[in-house]
CSV table of all heavy atoms in Angstrom, one decimal:
chain,number,residue,atom,x,y,z
X,1,ARG,N,-3.6,-8.1,-5.4
X,1,ARG,CA,-4.1,-6.8,-5.8
X,1,ARG,C,-5.3,-7.0,-6.6
X,1,ARG,O,-5.4,-7.9,-7.5
X,1,ARG,CB,-3.0,-6.2,-6.7
X,1,ARG,CG,-3.3,-4.8,-7.3
X,1,ARG,CD,-2.0,-4.2,-7.9
X,1,ARG,NE,-2.3,-3.0,-8.7
X,1,ARG,CZ,-1.4,-2.3,-9.2
X,1,ARG,NH1,-0.1,-2.6,-9.1
X,1,ARG,NH2,-1.7,-1.2,-9.9
X,2,ASP,N,-6.3,-6.1,-6.4
X,2,ASP,CA,-7.6,-6.1,-7.1
X,2,ASP,C,-7.6,-4.8,-7.9
X,2,ASP,O,-8.0,-3.8,-7.3
X,2,ASP,CB,-8.8,-6.3,-6.2
X,2,ASP,CG,-10.1,-6.4,-7.0
X,2,ASP,OD1,-10.2,-6.0,-8.1
X,2,ASP,OD2,-11.0,-7.0,-6.4
X,3,ASN,N,-7.3,-4.8,-9.1
X,3,ASN,CA,-7.2,-3.5,-9.9
X,3,ASN,C,-8.6,-2.8,-10.0
X,3,ASN,O,-8.7,-1.6,-10.1
X,3,ASN,CB,-6.5,-3.7,-11.2
X,3,ASN,CG,-5.1,-4.1,-11.1
X,3,ASN,OD1,-4.4,-3.6,-10.2
X,3,ASN,ND2,-4.6,-4.9,-12.0
X,4,ALA,N,-9.6,-3.6,-10.2
X,4,ALA,CA,-10.9,-3.1,-10.3
X,4,ALA,C,-11.4,-2.3,-9.1
X,4,ALA,O,-12.2,-1.4,-9.2
X,4,ALA,CB,-11.9,-4.2,-10.7
X,5,LYS,N,-10.8,-2.7,-7.9
X,5,LYS,CA,-11.2,-2.0,-6.7
X,5,LYS,C,-10.1,-1.1,-6.2
X,5,LYS,O,-10.3,-0.5,-5.1
X,5,LYS,CB,-11.5,-3.0,-5.6
X,5,LYS,CG,-12.7,-3.9,-6.0
X,5,LYS,CD,-13.0,-4.9,-4.8
X,5,LYS,CE,-14.2,-5.7,-5.1
X,5,LYS,NZ,-14.5,-6.7,-4.1
X,6,ASN,N,-9.1,-0.9,-7.0
X,6,ASN,CA,-7.9,-0.1,-6.5
X,6,ASN,C,-7.4,-0.5,-5.1
X,6,ASN,O,-7.2,0.4,-4.3
X,6,ASN,CB,-8.3,1.4,-6.6
X,6,ASN,CG,-8.5,1.9,-8.0
X,6,ASN,OD1,-8.0,1.4,-8.9
X,6,ASN,ND2,-9.3,3.0,-8.1
X,7,THR,N,-7.3,-1.8,-4.9
X,7,THR,CA,-7.0,-2.3,-3.6
X,7,THR,C,-5.9,-3.2,-3.6
X,7,THR,O,-5.8,-4.1,-4.6
X,7,THR,CB,-8.3,-3.0,-3.0
X,7,THR,OG1,-9.4,-2.1,-2.9
X,7,THR,CG2,-8.0,-3.5,-1.6
X,8,VAL,N,-5.0,-3.2,-2.6
X,8,VAL,CA,-3.9,-4.1,-2.4
X,8,VAL,C,-4.1,-4.7,-1.1
X,8,VAL,O,-4.5,-4.0,-0.1
X,8,VAL,CB,-2.5,-3.4,-2.6
X,8,VAL,CG1,-2.3,-2.4,-1.6
X,8,VAL,CG2,-1.4,-4.5,-2.7
X,9,TYR,N,-3.8,-6.0,-1.0
X,9,TYR,CA,-3.9,-6.7,0.3
X,9,TYR,C,-2.5,-7.3,0.7
X,9,TYR,O,-1.7,-7.6,-0.1
X,9,TYR,CB,-4.8,-7.9,0.2
X,9,TYR,CG,-6.2,-7.5,-0.3
X,9,TYR,CD1,-6.5,-7.5,-1.7
X,9,TYR,CD2,-7.2,-7.1,0.6
X,9,TYR,CE1,-7.8,-7.2,-2.1
X,9,TYR,CE2,-8.5,-6.8,0.2
X,9,TYR,CZ,-8.8,-6.8,-1.2
X,9,TYR,OH,-10.0,-6.5,-1.6
X,10,LEU,N,-2.3,-7.5,2.0
X,10,LEU,CA,-1.2,-8.2,2.5
X,10,LEU,C,-1.7,-9.3,3.4
X,10,LEU,O,-2.2,-9.0,4.5
X,10,LEU,CB,-0.2,-7.3,3.3
X,10,LEU,CG,1.1,-7.9,3.7
X,10,LEU,CD1,1.9,-8.3,2.5
X,10,LEU,CD2,1.8,-7.0,4.7
X,11,HIS,N,-1.6,-10.5,3.0
X,11,HIS,CA,-2.0,-11.7,3.8
X,11,HIS,C,-0.8,-12.1,4.6
X,11,HIS,O,0.2,-12.5,4.1
X,11,HIS,CB,-2.5,-12.8,2.9
X,11,HIS,CG,-3.6,-12.4,2.0
X,11,HIS,ND1,-3.3,-11.8,0.7
X,11,HIS,CD2,-4.9,-12.5,2.0
X,11,HIS,CE1,-4.4,-11.6,0.1
X,11,HIS,NE2,-5.4,-12.0,0.9
X,12,MET,N,-0.9,-12.1,5.9
X,12,MET,CA,0.2,-12.4,6.8
X,12,MET,C,-0.1,-13.6,7.6
X,12,MET,O,-1.1,-13.6,8.4
X,12,MET,CB,0.5,-11.2,7.8
X,12,MET,CG,0.7,-9.9,7.0
X,12,MET,SD,1.2,-8.5,8.1
X,12,MET,CE,-0.3,-8.3,9.0
X,13,ASN,N,0.7,-14.6,7.5
X,13,ASN,CA,0.5,-15.9,8.2
X,13,ASN,C,1.7,-16.2,9.0
X,13,ASN,O,2.8,-15.6,8.8
X,13,ASN,CB,0.3,-17.1,7.2
X,13,ASN,CG,-0.9,-16.9,6.3
X,13,ASN,OD1,-2.0,-16.6,6.8
X,13,ASN,ND2,-0.8,-17.1,5.0
X,14,SER,N,1.6,-17.1,10.0
X,14,SER,CA,2.7,-17.5,10.8
X,14,SER,C,3.4,-16.3,11.4
X,14,SER,O,4.7,-16.2,11.3
X,14,SER,CB,3.7,-18.4,10.0
X,14,SER,OG,3.0,-19.6,9.5
X,15,LEU,N,2.7,-15.4,11.9
X,15,LEU,CA,3.2,-14.1,12.4
X,15,LEU,C,4.2,-14.4,13.6
X,15,LEU,O,4.0,-15.2,14.4
X,15,LEU,CB,2.1,-13.2,12.8
X,15,LEU,CG,1.4,-12.5,11.6
X,15,LEU,CD1,0.1,-11.9,12.0
X,15,LEU,CD2,2.3,-11.4,11.1
X,16,LYS,N,5.2,-13.6,13.6
X,16,LYS,CA,6.3,-13.6,14.7
X,16,LYS,C,6.3,-12.3,15.4
X,16,LYS,O,5.9,-11.3,14.9
X,16,LYS,CB,7.6,-13.9,14.0
X,16,LYS,CG,7.7,-15.1,13.2
X,16,LYS,CD,9.1,-15.3,12.5
X,16,LYS,CE,9.2,-16.5,11.7
X,16,LYS,NZ,10.5,-16.6,11.0
X,17,PRO,N,6.8,-12.3,16.6
X,17,PRO,CA,6.9,-11.0,17.4
X,17,PRO,C,7.7,-10.0,16.6
X,17,PRO,O,7.4,-8.8,16.7
X,17,PRO,CB,7.6,-11.4,18.7
X,17,PRO,CG,7.1,-12.8,18.9
X,17,PRO,CD,7.1,-13.4,17.5
X,18,GLU,N,8.7,-10.4,15.9
X,18,GLU,CA,9.5,-9.4,15.1
X,18,GLU,C,8.8,-8.8,13.9
X,18,GLU,O,9.3,-7.9,13.3
X,18,GLU,CB,10.8,-10.1,14.6
X,18,GLU,CG,10.6,-11.4,13.9
X,18,GLU,CD,10.8,-12.6,14.8
X,18,GLU,OE1,10.3,-12.6,15.9
X,18,GLU,OE2,11.5,-13.6,14.4
X,19,ASP,N,7.6,-9.3,13.6
X,19,ASP,CA,6.7,-8.6,12.6
X,19,ASP,C,6.0,-7.4,13.2
X,19,ASP,O,5.4,-6.7,12.4
X,19,ASP,CB,5.7,-9.6,12.1
X,19,ASP,CG,6.3,-10.8,11.3
X,19,ASP,OD1,7.3,-10.5,10.5
X,19,ASP,OD2,5.9,-11.9,11.5
X,20,THR,N,6.1,-7.2,14.5
X,20,THR,CA,5.4,-6.1,15.1
X,20,THR,C,5.9,-4.8,14.5
X,20,THR,O,7.2,-4.5,14.6
X,20,THR,CB,5.6,-6.1,16.6
X,20,THR,OG1,5.0,-7.3,17.2
X,20,THR,CG2,5.0,-4.9,17.3
X,21,ALA,N,5.1,-3.9,14.0
X,21,ALA,CA,5.4,-2.7,13.4
X,21,ALA,C,4.2,-1.9,13.0
X,21,ALA,O,3.1,-2.5,13.0
X,21,ALA,CB,6.3,-2.9,12.2
X,22,VAL,N,4.4,-0.7,12.5
X,22,VAL,CA,3.3,0.0,11.8
X,22,VAL,C,3.5,-0.3,10.4
X,22,VAL,O,4.6,-0.1,9.8
X,22,VAL,CB,3.4,1.5,12.1
X,22,VAL,CG1,2.4,2.3,11.2
X,22,VAL,CG2,3.2,1.9,13.5
X,23,TYR,N,2.5,-0.8,9.7
X,23,TYR,CA,2.5,-1.1,8.3
X,23,TYR,C,1.9,0.0,7.5
X,23,TYR,O,0.8,0.4,7.8
X,23,TYR,CB,1.8,-2.5,8.1
X,23,TYR,CG,2.6,-3.7,8.6
X,23,TYR,CD1,2.8,-3.9,9.9
X,23,TYR,CD2,3.1,-4.5,7.6
X,23,TYR,CE1,3.5,-5.0,10.3
X,23,TYR,CE2,3.9,-5.6,8.0
X,23,TYR,CZ,4.1,-5.8,9.4
X,23,TYR,OH,4.8,-6.9,9.8
X,24,TYR,N,2.6,0.4,6.4
X,24,TYR,CA,2.2,1.5,5.6
X,24,TYR,C,1.9,1.0,4.1
X,24,TYR,O,2.7,0.2,3.6
X,24,TYR,CB,3.2,2.6,5.5
X,24,TYR,CG,3.5,3.2,6.8
X,24,TYR,CD1,4.5,2.8,7.7
X,24,TYR,CD2,2.8,4.4,7.2
X,24,TYR,CE1,4.7,3.4,8.9
X,24,TYR,CE2,3.0,5.0,8.4
X,24,TYR,CZ,4.0,4.5,9.2
X,24,TYR,OH,4.2,5.2,10.4
X,25,CYS,N,0.9,1.4,3.6
X,25,CYS,CA,0.6,1.2,2.2
X,25,CYS,C,1.2,2.2,1.3
X,25,CYS,O,1.3,3.4,1.7
X,25,CYS,CB,-1.0,1.2,2.0
X,25,CYS,SG,-1.5,0.9,0.3
X,26,ASN,N,1.7,1.8,0.2
X,26,ASN,CA,2.4,2.8,-0.8
X,26,ASN,C,1.9,2.5,-2.2
X,26,ASN,O,1.7,1.3,-2.6
X,26,ASN,CB,3.9,2.6,-0.7
X,26,ASN,CG,4.6,3.4,-1.8
X,26,ASN,OD1,5.0,2.8,-2.8
X,26,ASN,ND2,4.8,4.7,-1.6
X,27,ALA,N,1.7,3.5,-3.0
X,27,ALA,CA,1.3,3.3,-4.4
X,27,ALA,C,1.8,4.4,-5.2
X,27,ALA,O,1.9,5.6,-4.8
X,27,ALA,CB,-0.3,3.3,-4.5
X,28,ASP,N,2.2,4.1,-6.4
X,28,ASP,CA,2.6,5.0,-7.5
X,28,ASP,C,1.4,5.3,-8.3
X,28,ASP,O,1.0,4.4,-9.1
X,28,ASP,CB,3.8,4.4,-8.3
X,28,ASP,CG,4.4,5.4,-9.3
X,28,ASP,OD1,4.2,6.6,-9.1
X,28,ASP,OD2,5.0,4.9,-10.3
X,29,ILE,N,0.9,6.5,-8.2
X,29,ILE,CA,-0.4,6.8,-8.8
X,29,ILE,C,-0.3,8.1,-9.7
X,29,ILE,O,0.3,9.1,-9.3
X,29,ILE,CB,-1.5,7.1,-7.7
X,29,ILE,CG1,-1.7,5.8,-6.9
X,29,ILE,CG2,-2.8,7.6,-8.4
X,29,ILE,CD1,-2.6,6.0,-5.7
X,30,ARG,N,-0.9,8.0,-10.9
X,30,ARG,CA,-1.1,9.1,-11.8
X,30,ARG,C,-2.5,9.7,-11.6
X,30,ARG,O,-3.5,9.0,-12.0
X,30,ARG,CB,-0.9,8.7,-13.2
X,30,ARG,CG,-0.8,9.9,-14.2
X,30,ARG,CD,-0.6,9.4,-15.6
X,30,ARG,NE,-0.4,10.5,-16.5
X,30,ARG,CZ,-0.2,10.4,-17.8
X,30,ARG,NH1,-0.1,9.2,-18.4
X,30,ARG,NH2,-0.1,11.5,-18.6
X,31,PRO,N,-2.7,10.8,-10.9
X,31,PRO,CA,-4.0,11.4,-10.6
X,31,PRO,C,-4.8,11.7,-11.8
X,31,PRO,O,-6.1,11.5,-11.8
X,31,PRO,CB,-3.7,12.6,-9.8
X,31,PRO,CG,-2.3,12.4,-9.3
X,31,PRO,CD,-1.6,11.7,-10.4
X,32,ASN,N,-4.2,12.3,-12.9
X,32,ASN,CA,-5.0,12.6,-14.1
X,32,ASN,C,-4.0,12.7,-15.2
X,32,ASN,O,-2.8,12.6,-15.1
X,32,ASN,CB,-5.7,13.9,-13.9
X,32,ASN,CG,-4.8,15.1,-13.6
X,32,ASN,OD1,-4.1,15.6,-14.5
X,32,ASN,ND2,-4.9,15.6,-12.4
X,33,ILE,N,-4.5,12.8,-16.4
X,33,ILE,CA,-3.7,12.7,-17.6
X,33,ILE,C,-2.7,13.9,-17.8
X,33,ILE,O,-1.8,13.8,-18.5
X,33,ILE,CB,-4.7,12.6,-18.9
X,33,ILE,CG1,-3.9,12.1,-20.1
X,33,ILE,CG2,-5.3,14.0,-19.1
X,33,ILE,CD1,-4.8,11.8,-21.2
X,34,ALA,N,-3.0,15.0,-17.1
X,34,ALA,CA,-2.1,16.2,-17.2
X,34,ALA,C,-0.9,16.1,-16.4
X,34,ALA,O,0.0,17.0,-16.5
X,34,ALA,CB,-3.0,17.4,-16.9
X,35,VAL,N,-0.7,15.2,-15.4
X,35,VAL,CA,0.4,15.1,-14.5
X,35,VAL,C,1.0,13.8,-14.5
X,35,VAL,O,0.4,12.8,-14.9
X,35,VAL,CB,0.0,15.5,-13.1
X,35,VAL,CG1,-0.6,16.9,-13.1
X,35,VAL,CG2,-1.0,14.5,-12.5
X,36,ARG,N,2.3,13.7,-14.1
X,36,ARG,CA,3.0,12.5,-13.9
X,36,ARG,C,2.6,11.8,-12.7
X,36,ARG,O,2.1,12.4,-11.7
X,36,ARG,CB,4.5,12.8,-13.9
X,36,ARG,CG,5.1,13.4,-15.2
X,36,ARG,CD,6.5,13.7,-15.0
X,36,ARG,NE,7.4,12.5,-14.8
X,36,ARG,CZ,8.7,12.5,-14.5
X,36,ARG,NH1,9.3,13.7,-14.5
X,36,ARG,NH2,9.3,11.4,-14.3
X,37,SER,N,2.9,10.5,-12.6
X,37,SER,CA,2.6,9.8,-11.4
X,37,SER,C,3.6,10.1,-10.3
X,37,SER,O,4.7,10.6,-10.5
X,37,SER,CB,2.7,8.3,-11.7
X,37,SER,OG,4.0,7.8,-12.0
X,38,SER,N,3.2,9.9,-9.0
X,38,SER,CA,4.1,10.1,-7.9
X,38,SER,C,3.6,9.1,-6.8
X,38,SER,O,2.6,8.5,-6.8
X,38,SER,CB,4.0,11.5,-7.4
X,38,SER,OG,2.7,11.9,-7.0
X,39,ASP,N,4.5,9.0,-5.7
X,39,ASP,CA,4.2,8.1,-4.6
X,39,ASP,C,3.2,8.7,-3.6
X,39,ASP,O,3.3,9.9,-3.3
X,39,ASP,CB,5.5,7.8,-3.9
X,39,ASP,CG,6.3,6.6,-4.5
X,39,ASP,OD1,5.7,5.9,-5.3
X,39,ASP,OD2,7.4,6.4,-4.0
X,40,TYR,N,2.3,7.8,-3.2
X,40,TYR,CA,1.4,8.2,-2.1
X,40,TYR,C,1.5,7.2,-1.0
X,40,TYR,O,1.8,6.0,-1.2
X,40,TYR,CB,-0.1,8.2,-2.7
X,40,TYR,CG,-0.3,9.4,-3.6
X,40,TYR,CD1,0.0,9.2,-5.0
X,40,TYR,CD2,-0.9,10.6,-3.2
X,40,TYR,CE1,-0.2,10.3,-5.9
X,40,TYR,CE2,-1.1,11.6,-4.1
X,40,TYR,CZ,-0.8,11.4,-5.4
X,40,TYR,OH,-1.0,12.5,-6.3
X,41,TRP,N,1.2,7.6,0.2
X,41,TRP,CA,1.3,6.8,1.4
X,41,TRP,C,0.1,6.9,2.2
X,41,TRP,O,-0.6,7.9,2.4
X,41,TRP,CB,2.5,7.3,2.3
X,41,TRP,CG,3.9,7.1,1.7
X,41,TRP,CD1,4.5,7.9,0.9
X,41,TRP,CD2,4.7,5.9,1.8
X,41,TRP,NE1,5.7,7.4,0.5
X,41,TRP,CE2,5.8,6.1,1.1
X,41,TRP,CE3,4.5,4.7,2.5
X,41,TRP,CZ2,6.9,5.2,1.0
X,41,TRP,CZ3,5.5,3.8,2.5
X,41,TRP,CH2,6.7,4.0,1.7
X,42,GLY,N,-0.3,5.7,2.8
X,42,GLY,CA,-1.3,5.7,3.8
X,42,GLY,C,-0.9,6.1,5.2
X,42,GLY,O,0.3,6.4,5.4
X,43,GLN,N,-1.8,6.2,6.1
X,43,GLN,CA,-1.5,6.7,7.5
X,43,GLN,C,-0.8,5.6,8.3
X,43,GLN,O,-0.2,5.9,9.3
X,43,GLN,CB,-2.7,7.2,8.2
X,43,GLN,CG,-3.3,8.4,7.6
X,43,GLN,CD,-2.4,9.6,7.7
X,43,GLN,OE1,-1.9,10.2,6.7
X,43,GLN,NE2,-2.2,10.0,8.9
X,44,GLY,N,-0.9,4.4,7.9
X,44,GLY,CA,-0.3,3.3,8.7
X,44,GLY,C,-1.3,2.6,9.6
X,44,GLY,O,-2.3,3.2,10.0
X,45,THR,N,-1.1,1.3,9.8
X,45,THR,CA,-1.9,0.5,10.7
X,45,THR,C,-1.0,-0.3,11.6
X,45,THR,O,0.0,-0.9,11.1
X,45,THR,CB,-2.9,-0.3,9.9
X,45,THR,OG1,-3.8,-1.0,10.8
X,45,THR,CG2,-2.2,-1.4,9.0
X,46,GLN,N,-1.3,-0.4,12.8
X,46,GLN,CA,-0.4,-1.1,13.8
X,46,GLN,C,-0.7,-2.6,13.8
X,46,GLN,O,-1.8,-3.0,13.9
X,46,GLN,CB,-0.7,-0.5,15.2
X,46,GLN,CG,0.1,-1.2,16.3
X,46,GLN,CD,1.6,-0.9,16.2
X,46,GLN,OE1,2.0,0.2,16.1
X,46,GLN,NE2,2.4,-2.0,16.3
């Protein structure tokens, strides 16, 4: 995770056929000071 860039990475090595899937990013984010945080999802990558 690189907090300065608001970025998370997944380094995948020794991949197996059973790793085949759509991978989704998830983050618990507080958009502004007036609201509570909630979960957000990416669109997914194959």
Side-chain angles (χ1 to χ4, degrees):
R1 181 171 173 175
D2 186 338
N3 291 328
K5 297 181 179 180
N6 293 332
T7 301
V8 64
Y9 305 92
L10 186 67
H11 307 83
M12 304 185 293
N13 300 312
S14 301
L15 283 161
K16 305 175 180 179
E18 51 262 45
D19 294 319
T20 295
V22 177
Y23 284 70
Y24 296 91
C25 178
N26 171 261
D28 183 24
I29 298 174
R30 187 179 186 182
N32 61 72
I33 197 169
V35 301
R36 297 175 61 184
S37 65
S38 60
D39 273 350
Y40 292 83
W41 292 90
Q43 292 296 114
T45 184
Q46 177 71 47

